[in-house]
Amino acid sequence: MREFDEQPSHYETYDQSYVGLPVAEVPWQGDEKPPEAGSAAWRLSAHTYDDDLPDLIAECFDWFFEHVDTSQVTAVVIGGWEEPYDTDSSEIVSRLADEAGRLPELRSLFLGAMSPEDCEISWITQSDIAPLLEAYPKLERLEVRGGTGLRFSPVRHEALKVLRFETGGLPGEAVRGVGACDLPALEHLDMWFGVDTYGGDATVGDVAGILSGERLPRLRHLGLQNSQIQDELAAAAASAPIVAGLETLSLAMGVVTDAGAEALLSGQPLTHLRRLDLSRHAIGPEMRARLTAALPGVDVDLSGPDSSYVAVTE
C-alpha cells in the first residue's frame, strides 16, 4: 500500500499498478495466462475509441464476473465509462453494490481513474458513493476522482482506513457528508477542494465535522488540499481538535500565503507532527524561515513551484 503521506501524481490512471499490485485490464488481452485473481488489481474501463474492446462499462463487468474468480479479488480500479461528462457513476455504484456478494475480499477501490485525455477531472460526473461502503463492510480504501454531482451520505463503517477525493471542485454537500460519518478506523483522509468555477463550493464551515475529530478517532493524516480558500483552511486547522492526533497535515496544492502560515504559527503547537506539507504555496522567504525555525523537528515541505493558483482545477 502507498505510504499514507505520499502524494499521488496528478491524474494517475493506475494502469500499471495499484496498492502494490500489478494491474490486469478487463478484458484480459495478453497472450499469456491471466494472473491469479488475488494477485492483481483489476481495472475496468470502457474503451470508446477501440473497436476491439468493450465500449460499455457494463460489458467489462460482465466479462469480469464471468472469467475471473472474483471471490479472491482484493483491489478494483474503475477507469472511464461511456460519456462520463454526461453520465454519472450511479449505475456503476449500483452494479458494484449489487455484486458485493461476489467480491467478498475487496479491500481497495478507485472510482474514476481517468486521464485528462479520457475526461477532464472536473467533467467527471459522480453520484452518491456512500452505498459502496454500505455494500462492502470490509473495504479499507476508497478513492474517488471527479467532483461534479459527488455526494456522500452519512454512514458508519468499521473498516475503512483510507478515504481520498481528487477533484477540481468539491461540493460542500460531500464534505459535510464525510464530517457526519462515523469512521472509527480511518487513518488517512485527503480532500482536493478545487475552485468554485468547477463546483467547489465547500466552505470552512463545511469542514467543521471533520475538524472536530469526534467521529475520526484514529486519523493520522489529514489533507485539506488544492483549494482557493487554503488560508482559511489553514486558520481552521490551527485550532482544530483533530490536529493534536495527526502525524501528517497537508495544506498543499493550493494557495497558502503568509496569512495562512501566520495562522498556523499562532495556533496550537504543531511540533508533534512528523510532516507538514505546504508545497506549491505563495509563502514569502521570511515566513518560510519562520516556519522552519518554529518547527525544527518537523519535515516542513515548502517545495515549489511557488504559485498563486490552485494546482488542479478543470
Side-chain angles (χ1 to χ4, degrees):
M1 182 176 287
R2 181 194 308 129
E3 286 296 319
F4 282 161
D5 58 351
E6 180 184 345
Q7 284 297 333
S9 300
H10 298 168
Y11 308 122
E12 171 64 62
T13 56
Y14 302 106
D15 55 358
Q16 299 297 317
S17 66
Y18 180 59
V19 293
L21 295 173
V23 166
E25 290 280 351
V26 172
W28 178 254
Q29 295 291 298
D31 294 331
E32 66 275 15
K33 184 181 178 181
E36 294 296 322
S39 67
W42 294 86
R43 190 176 192 277
L44 290 70
S45 186
H47 297 270
T48 308
Y49 305 109
D50 191 330
D51 293 338
D52 296 327
L53 294 171
D55 58 1
L56 299 176
I57 192 69
E59 295 175 347
C60 294
F61 275 111
D62 293 342
W63 189 97
F64 180 53
F65 287 113
E66 181 178 347
H67 293 89
V68 179
D69 179 8
T70 57
S71 68
Q72 303 301 313
V73 170
T74 62
V76 169
V77 176
I78 303 296
W81 52 92
E82 52 276 16
E83 299 183 340
Y85 47 83
D86 229 9
T87 306
D88 69 26
S89 62
S90 57
E91 290 190 10
I92 297 169
V93 171
S94 295
R95 180 72 184 266
L96 284 166
D98 291 344
E99 303 283 12
R102 301 172 74 176
L103 287 162
E105 298 302 317
L106 187 65
R107 298 294 182 269
S108 301
L109 175 62
F110 196 113
L111 179 60
M114 293 175 243
S115 70
E117 289 74 26
D118 297 323
C119 187
E120 295 286 359
I121 192 169
S122 291
W123 297 3
I124 300 172
T125 309
Q126 291 288 356
S127 58
D128 189 355
I129 61 168
L132 294 171
L133 294 181
E134 295 172 329
Y136 293 91
K138 295 181 180 180
L139 195 69
E140 296 180 356
R141 186 184 195 103
L142 177 60
E143 303 180 81
V144 181
R145 180 172 297 158
T148 299
L150 180 64
R151 301 183 302 284
F152 200 88
S153 298
V155 296
R156 180 177 178 85
H157 195 280
E158 302 288 345
L160 194 70
K161 295 180 180 180
V162 178
L163 179 60
R164 300 188 59 258
F165 299 93
E166 300 179 2
T167 85
L170 186 60
E173 179 182 0
V175 177
R176 293 191 299 273
V178 173
C181 288
D182 288 301
L183 302 172
L186 195 72
E187 300 175 10
H188 181 113
L189 175 61
D190 271 333
M191 311 185 94
W192 296 9
F193 285 78
V195 297
D196 52 11
T197 306
Y198 295 106
D201 61 1
T203 66
V204 171
D206 294 326
V207 190
I210 294 169
L211 294 180
S212 74
E214 295 175 3
R215 295 182 171 90
L216 304 171
R218 295 187 183 177
L219 198 72
R220 296 297 175 262
H221 168 90
L222 177 60
L224 305 175
Q225 304 164 204
N226 195 56
S227 176
Q228 64 186 6
I229 57 168
Q230 206 72 68
D231 280 345
E232 296 174 52
L233 291 171
S239 60
I242 199 169
V243 171
L246 297 180
E247 296 177 0
T248 60
L249 173 64
S250 178
L251 299 164
M253 301 169 60
V255 286
V256 176
T257 69
D258 283 11
E262 182 65 52
L264 290 172
L265 291 176
S266 302
Q268 63 187 299
L270 299 176
T271 50
H272 68 286
L273 291 176
R274 178 165 56 84
R275 189 165 189 261
L276 175 61
D277 189 353
L278 300 172
S279 57
R280 192 182 172 98
H281 57 82
I283 301 172
E286 292 184 8
M287 183 58 74
R288 294 183 213 180
R290 285 183 59 194
L291 279 167
T292 53
L295 302 170
V298 180
D299 176 13
V300 182
D301 188 345
L302 291 165
S303 59
D306 295 354
S307 177
S308 58
Y309 298 96
V310 174
V312 178
T313 55
E314 184 178 15

